[in-house]
C-alpha cells in the first residue's frame, strides 16, 4: 500500500523502524523485512546502524528504486556547513542517497532559517531526493515551511492511540505534509489494552495490527520497529481488513494527557 502525498510522492504506508537494531541484527532484520514485502526502511545517524541498513539494502533481491529509505540528522549538526557534511557522511555509510532526509529533533540554539536552508542545499547537491522534519510542533512546522523553498514532505512524530496528535495532523494538512508515526504501537502497550484486544478479536487480528490499521486509515504512514522476524511479518498483515467508523472513534478515544512516551531532553515544548 502506497501513501501518496499532496506532492504526488509515493511513500510505502508501512515501514520498518530500526531504532535499537545494531550490527548483524540490524542487517538481518532489514534483509528479512525486505524479503517479506516491506519497501520502506527508516534509520538515523543517531541509531548507529546506517552502514548495516545500507548493506542489507544492497544485498536484497529488491531493486533499490523500489525501496523508500529515510535517515535523520541529529540536532548537534544543524549548523549549515556541519549539516552538509553530515548529509554526505550518511550517503557514504548507507552506500546510497536516501529518499528522505529529516531533521531528527528541533534545536533552539540554531536558527531554523540556517538549518532548513542547509537541508535544502543538501537536496540540491543530490544527497537526498526529498527533505522533511521530525518531532516538530505546530509552531515549528509553520516556521520550517516558511524557510524552505523545496517542499517539506513529512513530519515524523510519536503517534499511537494514547497520544492525541490532531493538532499536528491539522497543521500538516494545511501545508500539504504527511505524518509518519514512530512508536506506533506505544512501545508494546497496545497489546495489553482490552479495547484493542476486543476489536482485534472481531477481525482475527492482534492489538498491534489493529493499531497499525487505525493509523493507516487516517492517511498516516507508520514505522513499527521489531527485532523479531515473526513480529516483522505480523506487522505487515494489516491490509486485508478495515476498521469501522465506530471502531476508529473508539480507538481514538483512548488518548490521554499523559500518553506521550518519548520525552528526551532535546524535546521541544509539545502542543
Amino acid at each position: 500500500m502506497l501513501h501518496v502525498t499532496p506532492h504526488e510522492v509515493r511513500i510505502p504506508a508501512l515501514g520498518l523502524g530500526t531504532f535499537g537494531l545494531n550490527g548483524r541484527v540490524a542487517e538481518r532484520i532489514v534483509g528479512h523485512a525486505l524479503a517479506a514485502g516491506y519497501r520502506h526502511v527508516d534509520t538515523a545517524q543517531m541509531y548507529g546502524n546506517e552502514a548495516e541498513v545500507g548493506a542489507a539494502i544492497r544485498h536484497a533481491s529488491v531493486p533499490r528504486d523500489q525501496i523508500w529509505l529515510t535517515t535523520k540528522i541529529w540536532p548537534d549538526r544543524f549548523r549549515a556547513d556541519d549539516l552538509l557534511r553530515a548529509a554526505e557522511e550518511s550517503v557514504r555509510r548507507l552506500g546510497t542517497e536516501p529518499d528522505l532526509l529529516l531533521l531528527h529533533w528541533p534545536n533552539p540554539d540554531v536558527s531554523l532559517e540556517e538549518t532548513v536552508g542547509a537541508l535544502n542545499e543538501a537536496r540540491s547537491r543530490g544527497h537526498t531526493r526529498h527533505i522533511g522534519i521530525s518531532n516538530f510542533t505546530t509552531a515549528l512546522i509553520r516556521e520550517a515551511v516558511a524557510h524552505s523553498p523545496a517542499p517539506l514532505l513529512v513530519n515524523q512524530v510519536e503517534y499511537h492511540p494514547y497520544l492525541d496528535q490532531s493538532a499536528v495532523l491539522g497543521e500538516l494538512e494545511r501545508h500539504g505534509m504527511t505524518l509518519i508515526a514512530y512508536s506506533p504501537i506505544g512501545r508494546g502497550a497496545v497489546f495489553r489494552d482490552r479495547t484493542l484486544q476486543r476489536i482485534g478479536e472481531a477481525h482475527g487480528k492482534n492489538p498491534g495490527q489493529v493499531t497499525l490499521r487505525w493509523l493507516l486509515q487516517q492517511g498516516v504512514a507508520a514505522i513499527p520497529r521489531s527485532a523479531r522476524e515473526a513480529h516483522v511479518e505480523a506487522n505487515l498483515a494489516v491490509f486485508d481488513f478495515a476498521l469501522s467508523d465506530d471502531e476508529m472513534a473508539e480507538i481514538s478515544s483512548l488518548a490521554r494527557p499523559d500518553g506521550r512516551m518519548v520525552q528526551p531532553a532535546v524535546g521541544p515544548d509539545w502542543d
Side-chain angles (χ1 to χ4, degrees):
M1 179 178 177
L2 294 173
H3 173 79
V4 182
T5 74
H7 300 289
E8 299 301 315
V9 178
R10 296 174 180 270
I11 303 174
L14 190 69
L16 176 74
T18 64
F19 175 71
L21 302 181
N22 301 112
R24 293 181 180 177
V25 173
E27 188 169 349
R28 174 173 57 83
I29 293 296
V30 172
H32 182 83
L34 293 171
Y38 283 77
R39 295 297 180 264
H40 179 172
V41 180
D42 179 273
T43 183
Q45 294 178 349
M46 189 272 284
Y47 300 171
N49 62 15
E50 285 180 315
E52 289 79 9
V53 168
I57 289 172
R58 284 194 303 278
H59 298 149
S61 60
V62 182
R64 170 66 185 91
D65 62 5
Q66 294 181 19
I67 301 170
W68 181 272
L69 174 61
T70 297
T71 195
K72 302 178 279 291
I73 295 178
W74 194 247
D76 63 356
R77 305 200 66 181
F78 276 11
R79 293 290 181 188
D81 290 345
D82 204 15
L83 187 147
L84 289 169
R85 285 193 295 271
E88 292 176 355
E89 290 165 10
S90 275
V91 171
R92 286 197 296 271
R93 284 190 293 266
L94 291 166
T96 184
E97 293 79 15
D99 297 279
L100 179 62
L101 182 65
L102 304 180
L103 304 177
H104 202 154
W105 289 86
N107 182 347
D109 297 326
V110 183
S111 76
L112 262 181
E113 182 175 10
E114 177 179 352
T115 301
V116 172
L119 189 64
N120 274 262
E121 180 62 22
R123 176 180 176 273
S124 297
R125 293 185 184 186
H127 301 325
T128 182
R129 291 175 55 216
H130 303 285
I131 55 177
I133 52 181
S134 182
N135 297 299
F136 274 43
T137 62
T138 54
L140 290 171
I141 293 167
R142 289 191 293 272
E143 185 179 353
V145 168
H147 291 307
S148 187
L152 295 175
L153 210 62
V154 311
N155 186 23
Q156 186 183 115
V157 296
E158 177 186 352
Y159 189 28
H160 46 71
Y162 309 115
L163 181 61
D164 180 6
Q165 288 285 24
S166 56
V168 169
L169 279 165
E171 192 65 36
L172 294 176
E173 184 177 0
R174 282 187 283 276
H175 297 290
M177 297 173 66
T178 294
L179 190 151
I180 296 181
Y182 71 77
S183 296
I185 57 175
R187 294 184 165 179
V190 301
F191 290 99
R192 302 183 294 274
D193 191 288
R194 292 185 178 181
T195 296
L196 295 169
Q197 290 171 357
R198 172 174 47 79
I199 293 173
E201 288 170 1
H203 295 278
K205 298 292 181 178
N206 68 43
Q209 292 165 328
V210 168
T211 299
L212 293 173
R213 186 69 204 181
W214 171 76
L215 290 165
L216 298 182
Q217 286 185 212
Q218 295 176 66
V220 169
I223 49 169
R225 172 263 190 204
S226 179
R228 297 183 180 181
E229 286 90 342
H231 293 172
V232 168
E233 294 177 20
N235 288 341
L236 198 60
V238 295
F239 300 106
D240 58 352
F241 76 108
L243 298 169
S244 69
D245 290 344
D246 286 346
E247 288 170 331
M248 290 288 292
E250 190 173 8
I251 296 169
S252 296
S253 72
L254 297 173
R256 55 184 191 242
D258 64 346
R260 188 176 298 278
M261 299 179 183
V262 181
Q263 300 199 65
V266 298
D269 293 329
W270 302 107
D271 295 296

